[in-house]
Amino acid sequence: MIRSQTVQHKESTCAEKFRALNGPETLAYFVLNGANEYLSIGELKALLETYGYKVGLSCTTMICTSRMPFRILDIIMERAGFLREAGIILGIDDPENPTLNFQLPGPLPRGWLHVSNMKKTASEKTVESYVSLLTKSTGLNTSYSKGCEYRLLFSNGVVFLGVKTHKHRDNIPGFNDGFYKPFDRSIALSPRLAKALINLARVREGDVIADPFAGTGTIPIIASAIGISSIGIELDWSLVHGMEKNLRYYRANAIPVLGDSTEISLSGIDAVATDPPYGRGASTHGEAVASIYSKFIEKIPSWMRRNGYASFLTPLFLEDFVDDKISRTGLILAEKYYDYVHSGLTRIVYVVRNA
């Protein structure tokens, strides 16, 4: 009697199946963070520029699309802080005058249809009618099942049919459990905003970034996880000691420095990303907030290489002062985003370029 051998084949993922059908490039979609769409778009644009892939980016409510190689799509979703998901577009349609003219593979890989109406920009009647037509046409069902997660995304008079290949993730141990740090403070920069600041500064793996107001070290930790070396400067000894604990915990490729960043001289840094103190629990050590920002902005040109970028946060009440200081220093204001925190605090995310 001959015993049959069971040969186990690794089942390809949904992403792998559709990559094989698409070739080296794809038309990709990105779902933005609904709380701050403009910052999400800015981060996406910056990441594309970082890797030298400047392509047309088309955006509507909570959705951006662009054609790119799969490797760029992978990198963007590995690094992104404010992008919720991404995938491959299978077709675009007018939900009010549907054609269902999608280029779908046959047979269609099994899966289910996940429907989203971005910020209710389509009527319930339109969504229901279109979903009914599509499910009859494709055989897909809106009830969860194993297989591919097909995405039907309604946004401002357009409907996108895609297949989800990436969800928001962070390659930092412990992030999903609250980004644990042995030493932490309640006012510490959130990991996702820290990621966005790093990405807006347009640094690649192997570059060096400086955080002149490093606090507990969130930016240096995340930069290291991406593959970027960093220098974290902090004036408060207790914070430097705590930051050093955090850097050791994550084995971060970063140097903690005790000192006043408005007095320290650096050169040849590729980028700067930071959250300066402005009185929301972070001590200014008796110095006026405007004075700290003035000295910090004046340092940027001498610290960074030519055409390097710096990203930093500013409270809204300093906007006019910071705008004027940037222009007087010779830096180029590249981008500016408003981040509403609560009724008492709106921050501005500044991105400047060293001319």
Side-chain angles (χ1 to χ4, degrees):
M1 181 177 179
I2 300 175
R3 298 180 62 182
S4 62
Q5 292 182 334
T6 301
V7 180
Q8 292 185 341
H9 296 279
K10 180 184 176 183
E11 185 177 353
S12 60
T13 65
C14 190
E16 290 168 342
K17 290 176 183 177
F18 278 91
R19 287 184 183 201
L21 293 168
N22 275 263
E25 284 194 347
T26 189
L27 181 60
Y29 77 83
F30 298 89
V31 176
L32 311 176
N33 185 304
N36 200 324
E37 292 183 54
Y38 291 110
L39 182 56
S40 302
I41 294 170
E43 183 184 28
L44 175 55
K45 179 174 173 284
L47 283 168
L48 287 168
E49 291 179 6
T50 298
Y51 292 95
Y53 204 76
K54 298 181 180 181
V55 294
L57 192 63
S58 177
C59 298
T60 183
T61 300
M62 286 190 65
I63 302 288
C64 284
T65 62
S66 182
R67 183 167 292 278
M68 65 188 65
F70 282 108
R71 66 178 184 85
I72 299 296
L73 176 57
D74 289 338
I75 290 171
I76 287 173
M77 291 309 294
E78 181 76 18
R79 287 189 52 165
F82 278 84
L83 300 176
R84 286 170 42 184
E85 69 172 79
I88 298 167
I89 290 182
L90 305 177
I92 304 172
D93 203 358
D94 178 353
E96 299 291 348
N97 299 286
T99 63
L100 301 181
N101 187 26
F102 300 127
Q103 300 298 316
L104 301 179
L108 191 66
R110 67 177 184 170
W112 67 292
L113 186 65
H114 182 182
V115 182
S116 294
N117 184 6
M118 299 304 180
K119 293 191 174 179
K120 307 296 182 183
T121 52
S123 68
E124 291 184 13
K125 182 179 178 181
T126 297
V127 172
E128 289 175 4
S129 176
Y130 196 91
V131 170
S132 177
L133 285 172
L134 187 64
T135 53
K136 289 177 183 177
S137 171
T138 61
L140 292 172
N141 195 294
T142 55
S143 298
Y144 172 80
S145 66
K146 291 184 178 180
C148 297
E149 182 178 345
Y150 294 95
R151 295 290 272 128
L152 193 62
L153 307 167
F154 293 84
S155 178
N156 279 2
V158 180
V159 62
F160 303 89
L161 176 63
V163 61
K164 182 177 176 180
T165 58
H166 298 76
K167 65 179 180 179
H168 182 271
R169 59 167 298 196
D170 284 272
N171 58 346
I172 304 165
F175 178 87
N176 291 329
D177 296 324
F179 185 53
Y180 169 76
K181 288 184 291 186
F183 177 81
D184 208 357
R185 298 193 302 170
S186 60
I187 62 169
L189 195 64
S190 73
R192 288 182 181 175
L193 185 52
K195 260 195 163 187
L197 289 174
I198 293 167
N199 292 332
L200 289 168
R202 292 158 170 81
V203 277
R204 298 182 64 152
E205 296 81 353
D207 285 347
V208 178
I209 195 168
D211 181 353
F213 305 96
T216 60
T218 302
I219 286 177
I221 290 168
I222 292 176
S224 179
I226 294 170
I228 298 162
S229 303
S230 63
I231 299 170
I233 304 170
E234 180 53 55
L235 180 60
D236 189 318
W237 163 246
S238 64
L239 289 179
V240 174
H241 185 63
M243 172 172 43
E244 190 175 18
K245 286 183 180 179
N246 294 335
L247 296 178
R248 283 202 307 267
Y249 179 81
Y250 283 101
R251 298 180 181 177
N253 183 17
I255 300 172
V257 176
L258 174 65
D260 185 346
S261 58
T262 63
E263 301 294 335
I264 289 176
S265 294
L266 298 173
S267 63
I269 298 298
D270 293 300
V272 171
T274 193
D275 179 20
Y278 42 85
R280 61 180 187 96
S283 173
T284 61
H285 294 274
E287 187 170 1
V289 176
S291 175
I292 294 174
Y293 273 88
S294 179
K295 292 177 182 179
F296 159 61
I297 293 170
E298 287 174 356
K299 282 286 185 181
I300 293 175
S302 63
W303 280 12
M304 289 197 315
R305 60 173 172 80
R306 186 179 178 186
N307 291 321
Y309 284 82
S311 62
F312 57 92
L313 296 172
T314 301
L316 185 62
F317 69 82
L318 275 181
E319 181 176 17
D320 291 341
F321 175 83
V322 171
D323 283 350
D324 181 66
K325 191 66 185 180
I326 288 171
S327 64
R328 290 175 181 272
T329 309
L331 295 165
I332 297 171
L333 177 59
E335 297 146 19
K336 190 161 65 169
Y337 306 99
Y338 296 87
D339 180 37
Y340 175 84
V341 182
H342 52 69
S343 59
L345 176 62
T346 296
R347 300 180 295 196
I348 304 173
V349 181
Y350 275 92
V351 184
V352 298
R353 182 167 62 85
N354 195 18

